[in-house]
Amino acid sequence: MTDQLPLQYLDSEGQPTQTLPDWCNTPDRLQRCYHYMQLARQFDSKAIALQRTGQLGTYASLLGAEAIDVSVALSMSKEDVLVPYYRNHACQIIRGMPLEEVFLYWGGDERGNAATAMQKDFPNAVPIATQCLHACGVASAIKIRGEKRAAVTMIGDGGTSKGDFMEALNIAGVWQLPVVFIINNNQWAISVPRKIQSAATRLADKAIGAGIPGIQVDGNDAIAMHEAMQTALQRAYEGKGATLIEAISYRLSDHTTADDATRYRSNDELKQAWEREPVKRLRNFMRSQNFWDEDQEQALLQEIAQLVQQAADSYLAIPPQPVSSIFDFMYAELPSHLNEQRDWAEVRAMPGGSHHQEGE
Protein backbone atom coordinates (compact mmCIF):
# COMPACT_ATOMS: atom_id res chain seq x y z
CA MET A 1 0.00 0.00 0.00
CA THR A 2 1.23 3.52 -0.80
CA ASP A 3 0.14 6.96 0.33
CA GLN A 4 0.74 8.62 -3.04
CA LEU A 5 -1.85 11.13 -4.19
CA PRO A 6 -3.57 10.50 -7.53
CA LEU A 7 -1.81 12.00 -10.53
CA GLN A 8 -3.49 15.33 -11.28
CA TYR A 9 -2.72 18.40 -13.39
CA LEU A 10 -6.03 20.26 -13.20
CA ASP A 11 -8.21 20.74 -10.13
CA SER A 12 -11.99 20.62 -10.25
CA GLU A 13 -12.14 24.23 -11.50
CA GLY A 14 -9.60 23.65 -14.26
CA GLN A 15 -6.73 25.38 -12.48
CA PRO A 16 -3.25 23.79 -12.84
CA THR A 17 -2.01 21.99 -9.76
CA GLN A 18 1.53 21.49 -11.09
CA THR A 19 3.65 22.30 -14.14
CA LEU A 20 1.80 21.11 -17.22
CA PRO A 21 3.26 18.94 -20.01
CA ASP A 22 4.59 20.90 -23.01
CA TRP A 23 1.76 19.73 -25.28
CA CYS A 24 -0.66 21.77 -23.19
CA ASN A 25 0.99 24.99 -24.38
CA THR A 26 -0.86 24.78 -27.68
CA PRO A 27 -4.59 24.26 -28.18
CA ASP A 28 -4.77 21.54 -30.83
CA ARG A 29 -4.67 18.39 -28.73
CA LEU A 30 -6.74 19.90 -25.93
CA GLN A 31 -9.44 21.02 -28.37
CA ARG A 32 -9.50 17.59 -30.00
CA CYS A 33 -9.94 15.97 -26.61
CA TYR A 34 -12.71 18.42 -25.68
CA HIS A 35 -14.48 17.79 -29.00
CA TYR A 36 -14.72 14.08 -28.31
CA MET A 37 -15.71 14.57 -24.69
CA GLN A 38 -18.65 16.67 -25.80
CA LEU A 39 -19.46 14.15 -28.51
CA ALA A 40 -19.47 11.37 -25.94
CA ARG A 41 -21.80 13.34 -23.70
CA GLN A 42 -24.29 14.14 -26.44
CA PHE A 43 -24.19 10.57 -27.75
CA ASP A 44 -24.94 9.40 -24.24
CA SER A 45 -27.88 11.75 -23.88
CA LYS A 46 -29.35 10.69 -27.24
CA ALA A 47 -28.95 6.99 -26.43
CA ILE A 48 -30.86 7.39 -23.17
CA ALA A 49 -33.58 9.36 -24.96
CA LEU A 50 -33.92 6.59 -27.55
CA GLN A 51 -34.12 3.96 -24.82
CA ARG A 52 -36.76 5.90 -22.90
CA THR A 53 -38.91 6.02 -26.04
CA GLY A 54 -38.58 2.32 -26.78
CA GLN A 55 -36.17 2.72 -29.68
CA LEU A 56 -33.04 1.29 -28.01
CA GLY A 57 -32.37 -1.57 -25.63
CA THR A 58 -30.95 -1.33 -22.11
CA TYR A 59 -28.06 1.12 -22.27
CA ALA A 60 -25.00 1.65 -20.05
CA SER A 61 -24.29 5.37 -19.72
CA LEU A 62 -20.74 6.71 -19.78
CA LEU A 63 -21.72 10.05 -18.22
CA GLY A 64 -18.84 11.23 -16.04
CA ALA A 65 -16.22 8.97 -17.66
CA GLU A 66 -15.59 11.10 -20.75
CA ALA A 67 -12.04 12.07 -19.78
CA ILE A 68 -11.12 8.42 -19.27
CA ASP A 69 -12.48 7.01 -22.50
CA VAL A 70 -11.39 9.90 -24.70
CA SER A 71 -7.87 10.15 -23.28
CA VAL A 72 -7.32 6.42 -23.58
CA ALA A 73 -8.46 6.30 -27.20
CA LEU A 74 -6.50 9.39 -28.26
CA SER A 75 -3.35 7.96 -26.66
CA MET A 76 -3.53 4.65 -28.48
CA SER A 77 -1.98 4.04 -31.88
CA LYS A 78 -3.98 2.54 -34.70
CA GLU A 79 -1.99 -0.70 -34.34
CA ASP A 80 -2.90 -1.15 -30.68
CA VAL A 81 -5.84 -3.39 -29.83
CA LEU A 82 -8.78 -2.20 -27.74
CA VAL A 83 -10.49 -4.89 -25.67
CA PRO A 84 -13.47 -2.94 -24.33
CA TYR A 85 -16.19 -3.53 -21.81
CA TYR A 86 -19.72 -2.25 -22.13
CA ARG A 87 -19.06 1.37 -21.14
CA ASN A 88 -16.42 2.27 -23.75
CA HIS A 89 -18.58 3.77 -26.53
CA ALA A 90 -16.44 6.91 -26.83
CA CYS A 91 -13.30 4.82 -27.18
CA GLN A 92 -14.88 2.81 -29.96
CA ILE A 93 -16.15 5.91 -31.77
CA ILE A 94 -12.76 7.61 -31.68
CA ARG A 95 -11.14 4.45 -33.04
CA GLY A 96 -13.44 4.55 -36.04
CA MET A 97 -16.71 2.86 -35.18
CA PRO A 98 -19.61 4.79 -36.78
CA LEU A 99 -22.06 6.25 -34.26
CA GLU A 100 -25.04 4.56 -35.90
CA GLU A 101 -23.37 1.17 -35.43
CA VAL A 102 -22.87 1.86 -31.73
CA PHE A 103 -26.59 2.64 -31.56
CA LEU A 104 -27.22 -0.56 -33.51
CA TYR A 105 -25.42 -2.67 -30.92
CA TRP A 106 -27.40 -1.15 -28.08
CA GLY A 107 -30.53 -1.64 -30.15
CA GLY A 108 -29.97 -5.37 -29.81
CA ASP A 109 -28.64 -5.93 -33.32
CA GLU A 110 -25.42 -7.95 -33.38
CA ARG A 111 -24.38 -6.28 -36.62
CA GLY A 112 -23.42 -3.39 -34.35
CA ASN A 113 -20.96 -5.67 -32.58
CA ALA A 114 -19.25 -6.83 -35.75
CA ALA A 115 -18.53 -3.53 -37.45
CA THR A 116 -15.79 -3.67 -40.05
CA ALA A 117 -14.53 -0.35 -38.67
CA MET A 118 -13.48 -2.15 -35.49
CA GLN A 119 -10.54 -3.62 -37.44
CA LYS A 120 -8.57 -5.64 -34.87
CA ASP A 121 -10.41 -4.22 -31.85
CA PHE A 122 -12.61 -6.61 -29.91
CA PRO A 123 -16.39 -6.37 -29.53
CA ASN A 124 -17.93 -5.37 -26.22
CA ALA A 125 -17.56 -7.73 -23.29
CA VAL A 126 -20.64 -7.82 -21.08
CA PRO A 127 -19.53 -10.61 -18.68
CA ILE A 128 -17.65 -8.93 -15.86
CA ALA A 129 -13.82 -8.96 -16.08
CA THR A 130 -13.50 -11.57 -18.85
CA GLN A 131 -12.10 -8.93 -21.19
CA CYS A 132 -8.97 -8.63 -19.02
CA LEU A 133 -7.90 -12.17 -19.84
CA HIS A 134 -8.82 -11.65 -23.48
CA ALA A 135 -6.47 -8.66 -23.50
CA CYS A 136 -3.70 -10.85 -22.07
CA GLY A 137 -4.25 -13.31 -24.90
CA VAL A 138 -3.89 -10.49 -27.43
CA ALA A 139 -0.81 -9.18 -25.65
CA SER A 140 0.72 -12.67 -25.66
CA ALA A 141 0.39 -12.81 -29.44
CA ILE A 142 1.92 -9.36 -29.77
CA LYS A 143 4.86 -10.38 -27.62
CA ILE A 144 5.45 -13.66 -29.47
CA ARG A 145 5.47 -11.79 -32.77
CA GLY A 146 7.85 -9.18 -31.40
CA GLU A 147 5.58 -6.30 -32.42
CA LYS A 148 5.66 -2.77 -31.01
CA ARG A 149 2.00 -2.69 -30.08
CA ALA A 150 -0.13 -3.02 -26.96
CA ALA A 151 -3.46 -4.39 -25.85
CA VAL A 152 -5.60 -1.96 -23.87
CA THR A 153 -8.55 -2.98 -21.74
CA MET A 154 -10.86 -1.30 -19.25
CA ILE A 155 -12.93 -2.50 -16.33
CA GLY A 156 -15.18 -1.02 -13.66
CA ASP A 157 -14.22 -0.90 -9.99
CA GLY A 158 -16.65 -3.72 -9.21
CA GLY A 159 -15.00 -5.93 -11.80
CA THR A 160 -11.69 -5.79 -9.94
CA SER A 161 -13.23 -8.11 -7.33
CA LYS A 162 -13.55 -10.86 -9.91
CA GLY A 163 -11.06 -13.68 -10.24
CA ASP A 164 -10.57 -13.06 -13.95
CA PHE A 165 -9.16 -9.62 -13.19
CA MET A 166 -6.62 -10.93 -10.67
CA GLU A 167 -5.65 -13.80 -12.94
CA ALA A 168 -5.09 -11.36 -15.81
CA LEU A 169 -2.86 -9.13 -13.67
CA ASN A 170 -0.86 -12.14 -12.55
CA ILE A 171 -0.21 -13.55 -16.01
CA ALA A 172 0.53 -10.07 -17.38
CA GLY A 173 3.14 -9.63 -14.68
CA VAL A 174 4.84 -13.00 -14.89
CA TRP A 175 4.95 -12.97 -18.69
CA GLN A 176 5.72 -9.22 -18.95
CA LEU A 177 2.91 -8.73 -21.42
CA PRO A 178 2.39 -5.47 -23.36
CA VAL A 179 -1.01 -4.71 -21.91
CA VAL A 180 -2.52 -1.68 -20.16
CA PHE A 181 -5.35 -2.21 -17.69
CA ILE A 182 -7.51 0.82 -16.86
CA ILE A 183 -9.94 0.73 -13.95
CA ASN A 184 -12.84 3.13 -14.34
CA ASN A 185 -13.33 3.61 -10.62
CA ASN A 186 -16.68 5.39 -10.75
CA GLN A 187 -17.36 4.53 -7.10
CA TRP A 188 -20.35 2.26 -7.73
CA ALA A 189 -20.78 -1.35 -8.88
CA ILE A 190 -24.49 -1.00 -9.66
CA SER A 191 -25.74 -0.26 -6.11
CA VAL A 192 -22.63 -1.41 -4.21
CA PRO A 193 -20.34 1.47 -3.17
CA ARG A 194 -16.59 1.22 -3.67
CA LYS A 195 -15.90 1.39 0.08
CA ILE A 196 -17.50 -2.01 0.74
CA GLN A 197 -16.25 -3.71 -2.41
CA SER A 198 -12.63 -3.99 -1.38
CA ALA A 199 -10.50 -3.42 1.72
CA ALA A 200 -7.67 -2.11 -0.47
CA THR A 201 -6.95 1.57 0.10
CA ARG A 202 -6.26 1.96 -3.60
CA LEU A 203 -7.43 -0.41 -6.31
CA ALA A 204 -4.16 0.42 -8.06
CA ASP A 205 -2.41 -1.45 -5.23
CA LYS A 206 -3.75 -4.71 -6.63
CA ALA A 207 -0.90 -4.40 -9.12
CA ILE A 208 1.64 -4.97 -6.35
CA GLY A 209 0.88 -8.67 -6.02
CA ALA A 210 1.33 -9.08 -9.78
CA GLY A 211 4.66 -7.29 -9.80
CA ILE A 212 3.57 -4.57 -12.21
CA PRO A 213 3.32 -0.78 -11.75
CA GLY A 214 0.01 0.54 -10.47
CA ILE A 215 -0.84 4.22 -10.61
CA GLN A 216 -3.85 6.14 -9.34
CA VAL A 217 -4.99 9.00 -11.58
CA ASP A 218 -7.67 11.68 -11.33
CA GLY A 219 -9.96 10.25 -13.99
CA ASN A 220 -11.78 13.57 -14.40
CA ASP A 221 -8.55 15.22 -15.49
CA ALA A 222 -7.98 14.60 -19.21
CA ILE A 223 -4.39 15.81 -19.05
CA ALA A 224 -3.49 13.44 -16.21
CA MET A 225 -5.17 10.54 -17.97
CA HIS A 226 -3.28 11.32 -21.16
CA GLU A 227 0.07 11.41 -19.37
CA ALA A 228 -0.57 8.16 -17.51
CA MET A 229 -1.58 6.42 -20.73
CA GLN A 230 1.46 7.66 -22.63
CA THR A 231 3.78 6.31 -19.93
CA ALA A 232 2.00 2.96 -19.78
CA LEU A 233 1.94 2.51 -23.56
CA GLN A 234 5.59 3.44 -23.91
CA ARG A 235 6.45 0.87 -21.27
CA ALA A 236 4.51 -1.75 -23.23
CA TYR A 237 6.13 -0.77 -26.55
CA GLU A 238 9.60 -1.08 -25.01
CA GLY A 239 8.95 -4.62 -23.84
CA LYS A 240 8.86 -3.69 -20.15
CA GLY A 241 5.44 -5.19 -19.53
CA ALA A 242 2.05 -4.26 -18.17
CA THR A 243 0.68 -1.29 -16.21
CA LEU A 244 -2.46 -0.88 -14.12
CA ILE A 245 -4.09 2.58 -14.09
CA GLU A 246 -6.83 3.32 -11.58
CA ALA A 247 -8.82 6.28 -12.92
CA ILE A 248 -10.87 7.84 -10.15
CA SER A 249 -14.12 9.25 -11.43
CA TYR A 250 -17.81 9.15 -10.58
CA ARG A 251 -20.77 7.56 -12.33
CA LEU A 252 -23.06 10.55 -12.86
CA SER A 253 -25.87 8.44 -14.30
CA ASP A 254 -27.58 5.20 -13.38
CA HIS A 255 -25.62 1.99 -13.86
CA THR A 256 -27.78 1.28 -16.89
CA THR A 257 -31.21 2.42 -18.00
CA ALA A 258 -32.57 -0.60 -16.10
CA ASP A 259 -31.26 0.90 -12.85
CA ASP A 260 -32.55 3.69 -10.56
CA ALA A 261 -29.66 5.15 -8.59
CA THR A 262 -31.96 7.45 -6.58
CA ARG A 263 -32.90 4.39 -4.53
CA TYR A 264 -29.41 3.95 -3.09
CA ARG A 265 -27.44 7.16 -3.69
CA SER A 266 -27.89 10.53 -2.03
CA ASN A 267 -28.56 13.70 -3.98
CA ASP A 268 -25.85 15.51 -2.01
CA GLU A 269 -23.23 13.00 -3.11
CA LEU A 270 -24.30 13.34 -6.73
CA LYS A 271 -24.30 17.13 -6.51
CA GLN A 272 -20.75 17.13 -5.16
CA ALA A 273 -19.64 14.78 -7.96
CA TRP A 274 -21.03 17.16 -10.60
CA GLU A 275 -18.73 19.86 -9.20
CA ARG A 276 -15.75 17.69 -10.20
CA GLU A 277 -17.02 16.61 -13.61
CA PRO A 278 -14.50 16.35 -16.45
CA VAL A 279 -16.02 18.36 -19.32
CA LYS A 280 -16.38 21.59 -17.35
CA ARG A 281 -12.89 21.15 -15.96
CA LEU A 282 -11.19 21.01 -19.35
CA ARG A 283 -13.38 23.80 -20.75
CA ASN A 284 -12.47 26.10 -17.88
CA PHE A 285 -8.78 25.45 -18.43
CA MET A 286 -8.95 26.10 -22.18
CA ARG A 287 -10.84 29.33 -21.58
CA SER A 288 -8.26 30.47 -19.05
CA GLN A 289 -5.57 29.95 -21.72
CA ASN A 290 -7.61 31.74 -24.43
CA PHE A 291 -7.82 28.44 -26.30
CA TRP A 292 -11.63 28.45 -26.27
CA ASP A 293 -14.50 30.94 -26.25
CA GLU A 294 -18.28 30.97 -26.20
CA ASP A 295 -18.63 31.19 -29.99
CA GLN A 296 -16.50 28.07 -30.42
CA GLU A 297 -18.52 26.35 -27.72
CA GLN A 298 -21.87 27.02 -29.36
CA ALA A 299 -20.56 26.07 -32.82
CA LEU A 300 -19.20 22.79 -31.48
CA LEU A 301 -22.38 21.90 -29.63
CA GLN A 302 -24.46 22.58 -32.74
CA GLU A 303 -22.13 20.56 -34.97
CA ILE A 304 -22.20 17.59 -32.62
CA ALA A 305 -25.97 17.77 -32.15
CA GLN A 306 -26.44 17.47 -35.91
CA LEU A 307 -23.93 14.63 -36.13
CA VAL A 308 -25.58 12.64 -33.35
CA GLN A 309 -29.07 13.21 -34.71
CA GLN A 310 -28.01 12.07 -38.19
CA ALA A 311 -26.51 8.94 -36.67
CA ALA A 312 -29.70 8.25 -34.72
CA ASP A 313 -31.79 8.72 -37.86
CA SER A 314 -29.51 6.35 -39.79
CA TYR A 315 -29.75 3.76 -37.02
CA LEU A 316 -33.54 3.93 -36.94
CA ALA A 317 -33.67 3.54 -40.72
CA ILE A 318 -31.69 0.27 -40.73
CA PRO A 319 -34.08 -2.61 -41.49
CA PRO A 320 -34.07 -5.34 -38.83
CA GLN A 321 -32.44 -8.63 -39.61
CA PRO A 322 -34.77 -11.50 -40.59
CA VAL A 323 -35.73 -13.66 -37.65
CA SER A 324 -34.15 -16.64 -39.40
CA SER A 325 -30.71 -15.09 -38.83
CA ILE A 326 -30.86 -16.37 -35.24
CA PHE A 327 -30.65 -19.86 -36.68
CA ASP A 328 -28.56 -19.18 -39.77
CA PHE A 329 -25.58 -17.70 -37.94
CA MET A 330 -25.55 -19.91 -34.87
CA TYR A 331 -24.40 -23.13 -36.56
CA ALA A 332 -22.27 -23.98 -39.59
CA GLU A 333 -24.86 -26.67 -40.31
CA LEU A 334 -28.25 -26.24 -38.67
CA PRO A 335 -29.19 -29.34 -36.63
CA SER A 336 -32.21 -31.03 -38.13
CA HIS A 337 -34.31 -30.64 -34.99
CA LEU A 338 -34.10 -26.85 -35.35
CA ASN A 339 -35.39 -26.75 -38.92
CA GLU A 340 -38.99 -26.79 -37.75
CA GLN A 341 -38.33 -24.02 -35.23
CA ARG A 342 -36.71 -21.91 -37.95
CA ASP A 343 -39.70 -22.35 -40.28
CA TRP A 344 -42.16 -21.57 -37.50
CA ALA A 345 -40.22 -18.45 -36.47
CA GLU A 346 -40.42 -17.13 -40.01
CA VAL A 347 -44.18 -17.67 -40.10
CA ARG A 348 -44.69 -15.87 -36.80
CA ALA A 349 -42.55 -12.95 -37.99
CA MET A 350 -44.85 -12.35 -40.98
CA PRO A 351 -47.55 -9.67 -40.74
CA GLY A 352 -50.29 -11.26 -38.68
CA GLY A 353 -48.10 -14.30 -38.15
CA SER A 354 -48.43 -14.20 -34.38
CA HIS A 355 -52.10 -15.16 -34.80
CA HIS A 356 -51.23 -18.40 -36.50
CA GLN A 357 -51.54 -21.43 -34.29
CA GLU A 358 -49.48 -24.53 -34.66
CA GLY A 359 -51.23 -26.99 -36.95
CA GLU A 360 -53.20 -24.35 -38.89
Side-chain angles (χ1 to χ4, degrees):
M1 183 180 76
T2 70
D3 57 0
Q4 290 180 324
L5 294 174
L7 179 66
Q8 183 194 68
Y9 286 91
L10 300 178
D11 66 15
S12 59
E13 295 303 318
Q15 296 297 314
T17 57
Q18 61 169 308
T19 303
L20 299 179
D22 290 343
W23 61 269
C24 296
N25 293 328
T26 55
D28 295 353
R29 196 179 301 183
L30 293 167
Q31 290 177 354
R32 187 163 181 248
C33 185
Y34 185 71
H35 169 96
Y36 282 117
M37 288 170 69
Q38 283 286 13
L39 175 60
R41 184 157 292 190
Q42 289 205 35
F43 177 89
D44 200 70
S45 179
K46 176 60 72 175
I48 291 175
L50 289 171
Q51 193 278 332
R52 298 300 191 215
T53 53
Q55 299 174 96
L56 201 76
T58 299
Y59 172 76
S61 169
L62 54 77
L63 187 64
E66 294 89 351
I68 301 172
D69 249 46
V70 171
S71 299
V72 167
L74 292 181
S75 298
M76 294 172 64
S77 76
K78 183 180 178 181
E79 289 72 28
D80 295 332
V81 179
L82 174 68
V83 188
Y85 79 128
Y86 51 79
R87 215 182 292 277
N88 293 146
H89 333 314
C91 237
Q92 293 174 313
I93 291 168
I94 292 170
R95 289 182 61 76
M97 191 165 173
L99 275 69
E100 55 267 31
E101 295 193 8
V102 182
F103 282 134
L104 195 64
Y105 168 76
W106 289 100
D109 192 321
E110 283 296 328
R111 289 174 294 180
N113 214 14
T116 56
M118 282 183 176
Q119 301 186 58
K120 290 184 170 56
D121 288 352
F122 275 38
N124 285 330
V126 176
I128 304 302
T130 54
Q131 72 277 11
C132 296
L133 283 167
H134 300 163
C136 288
V138 174
S140 298
I142 292 172
K143 181 167 184 175
I144 291 169
R145 295 172 179 171
E147 298 170 337
K148 188 177 178 180
R149 305 163 62 202
V152 175
T153 189
M154 281 194 256
I155 188 170
D157 45 291
T160 65
S161 298
K162 297 286 287 185
D164 287 28
F165 172 74
M166 300 303 295
E167 292 164 15
L169 289 189
N170 188 67
I171 200 67
V174 76
W175 285 358
Q176 290 190 296
L177 297 179
V179 56
V180 181
F181 303 95
I182 301 107
I183 303 169
N184 174 1
N185 180 358
N186 63 23
Q187 311 301 320
W188 290 92
I190 310 184
S191 59
V192 180
R194 156 69 181 92
K195 61 185 177 184
I196 64 171
Q197 285 178 52
S198 170
T201 303
R202 308 186 327 157
L203 296 179
D205 288 339
K206 296 192 177 189
I208 296 173
I212 65 175
I215 181 174
Q216 201 174 48
V217 182
D218 185 336
N220 291 339
D221 179 351
I223 296 174
M225 277 303 304
H226 181 89
E227 289 297 290
M229 275 301 297
Q230 288 295 314
T231 301
L233 286 170
Q234 192 60 37
R235 174 180 164 79
Y237 297 156
E238 293 175 355
K240 297 178 180 176
T243 300
L244 174 63
I245 297 173
E246 178 190 359
I248 301 173
S249 185
Y250 193 90
R251 195 191 74 207
L252 294 172
S253 186
D254 299 325
H255 174 70
T256 68
T257 50
D259 177 38
D260 178 8
T262 63
R263 302 182 65 168
Y264 55 79
R265 188 172 66 183
S266 75
N267 287 334
D268 287 343
E269 180 178 312
L270 181 61
K271 183 179 179 181
Q272 291 173 15
W274 270 105
E275 293 174 357
R276 303 188 298 272
E277 68 101 351
V279 174
K280 178 194 73 174
R281 185 181 306 202
L282 183 56
R283 181 173 60 236
N284 285 351
F285 172 70
M286 291 199 303
R287 283 179 168 170
S288 72
Q289 304 301 303
N290 294 320
F291 292 164
W292 199 248
D293 60 31
E294 187 59 25
D295 289 342
Q296 290 172 296
E297 177 79 6
Q298 293 308 314
L300 176 65
L301 294 179
Q302 185 175 358
E303 173 194 337
I304 290 175
Q306 292 176 351
L307 182 67
V308 172
Q309 185 59 53
Q310 288 171 358
D313 293 342
S314 296
Y315 151 68
L316 294 172
I318 296 174
Q321 287 182 295
V323 68
S324 57
S325 65
I326 298 174
F327 300 89
D328 295 342
F329 298 111
M330 183 63 72
Y331 299 95
E333 294 183 11
L334 189 67
S336 58
H337 71 278
L338 292 179
N339 282 323
E340 184 179 358
Q341 287 188 30
R342 183 186 186 281
D343 294 342
W344 185 237
E346 286 189 316
V347 170
R348 290 181 63 85
M350 294 177 181
S354 61
H355 299 294
H356 286 277
Q357 298 298 316
E358 189 172 4
E360 287 185 347

